[in-house]
Amino acid sequence: MSHPCHGSAAEATENDWTIGSSVPVTFAGGDTAFVVGAIYTSGLDWVGPSFVDVDAFTASRLDELDYRIYVSGDATAITTVTADDASAIVQDRAAFIDSKNADIDMMLGLFYVMLALAIFIALLGIANTLALSIRERTREPGLMRAVGMTRAQTRSMVRWEATIIAVFGSTLGFAIGTFFGWAAVRALADQGIDTLIVPITSLAAVTLIAAAAGATAAILPARRAARLDVLSALVCQ
């Protein structure tokens, strides 16, 4: 006996399904076949790309573990019926989507924490690189001072160097991250994740923060460069 199954339009197109098509399915107890009973164009975020009814599971002798139960009716009555079951959570479509978005937001929060840690490590790297650069390029700031550059201009030069490094690194990171985001969307398109949104405002804010952080990391190296003795710097080997 064949049982009805229901699939999304994308799933049907990919597998050449139409209403009444036979779909072979393999269970632990053996092979069977379902018949396509409906094709839908919305609801991927709710039921996924395909589903079958409970009778199909019962006939296939699978353990019925109710993970989700779809019902329609008065919300108050449904809540009353499930009140005695501490594990039951009653959600409408909007609440279900919000719960999934909350899970994604939590994951994004973890990513932002990791990003903050990466920025902190990058700041240490910028400060260390500039400090070594000032020590190794002693003649360069000494020569710039000898031809008329003031201490304030020397500090500004070092800070701008750090800012350019930070902005360049951020831009490169955004380009790589956007590419991997596009690749992930392409790979998960059949699961309903088919839209790539680039948060321009957030990326611009992170770029400005990175630029300010780079300039902050350059404060001590810039001060050291401005305090170099001109004559000693020029004769330094």
Side-chain angles (χ1 to χ4, degrees), residues 108-197:
L108 288 177
L110 177 60
F111 286 158
Y112 280 124
V113 171
M114 295 174 64
L115 175 61
L117 180 59
I119 291 176
F120 175 73
I121 295 174
L123 293 182
L124 295 180
I126 290 175
N128 185 56
T129 300
L130 289 177
L132 293 175
S133 176
I134 297 302
R135 180 175 293 275
E136 294 174 356
R137 297 184 304 169
T138 304
R139 283 187 174 182
E140 180 182 327
L143 179 60
M144 300 300 292
R145 289 291 310 282
V147 298
M149 178 178 281
T150 64
R151 288 187 173 182
Q153 290 173 330
T154 302
R155 290 194 294 268
S156 178
M157 177 186 69
V158 176
R159 286 196 298 267
W160 273 111
E161 181 179 349
T163 301
I164 292 172
I165 292 174
V167 172
F168 177 79
S170 299
T171 304
L172 180 61
F174 294 153
I176 296 175
T178 301
F179 170 76
F180 279 107
W182 170 83
V185 168
R186 294 275 295 181
L188 299 175
D190 59 344
Q191 299 185 27
I193 304 177
D194 55 1
T195 303
L196 175 65
I197 299 177

Side-chain angles (χ1 to χ4, degrees), residues 134 141 145 151 154-155 220-230:
I134 297 302
R145 289 291 310 282
R151 288 187 173 182
T154 302
R155 290 194 294 268
L220 293 180
R223 184 177 301 176
R224 174 180 173 79
R227 290 181 177 180
L228 287 174
D229 182 81
V230 177

Side-chain angles (χ1 to χ4, degrees), residues 53-92:
D53 58 19
V54 177
D55 291 339
F57 276 75
T58 303
S60 301
R61 292 186 291 276
L62 296 177
D63 294 333
E64 294 184 23
L65 302 176
D66 294 331
Y67 176 63
R68 294 177 189 164
I69 300 177
Y70 301 97
V71 297
S72 61
D74 182 69
T76 303
I78 295 172
T79 303
T80 302
V81 170
T82 58
D84 295 334
D85 191 341
S87 63
I89 300 176
V90 179
Q91 294 178 321
D92 58 11

